[in-house]
Amino acid sequence: GQKIHPTQKPVQLLQQLISLFTDPGEVVIDPCCGSGSTIIAAKKSGRTGYGFEIKKEFCNLAREWLEREDAQPVLF
């Protein structure tokens, strides 16, 4: 994915962490989701992800990325 947020983490790294600390089907919540990479990683790991972001710019860019990835929408 593209760089959206200054502290954005790689989706592959987040998938490893999500797989380590959650079970398939569980829920992952990211209260400051920035780019949405955690939500994409959750979806790719068989989890449901919910994210929250207060900055409209990041919110819009994350939503676009999620739509391109065919991931579930982030709650804003």
Side-chain angles (χ1 to χ4, degrees), residues 13-28:
L13 171 63
L14 294 168
Q15 281 183 265
Q16 291 174 349
L17 293 171
I18 289 168
S19 294
L20 250 171
F21 294 105
T22 66
D23 293 319
E26 289 189 333
V27 174
V28 175

Side-chain angles (χ1 to χ4, degrees), residues 8-74:
Q8 181 173 330
K9 310 299 182 283
V11 171
Q12 198 168 28
L13 171 63
L14 294 168
Q15 281 183 265
Q16 291 174 349
L17 293 171
I18 289 168
S19 294
L20 250 171
F21 294 105
T22 66
D23 293 319
E26 289 189 333
V27 174
V28 175
I29 296 175
D30 188 355
C32 302
C33 74
S35 68
S37 56
T38 301
I39 309 309
I40 290 170
K43 173 76 172 180
K44 288 183 174 190
S45 301
R47 280 70 168 173
T48 300
Y50 295 100
F52 306 89
E53 178 57 54
I54 62 171
K55 301 253 181 185
K56 278 188 178 184
E57 178 186 353
F58 294 133
C59 176
N60 292 333
L61 292 170
R63 182 175 284 133
E64 290 171 11
W65 188 19
L66 289 163
E67 288 171 1
R68 285 193 308 274
E69 291 287 327
D70 192 32
Q72 65 212 32
V74 177

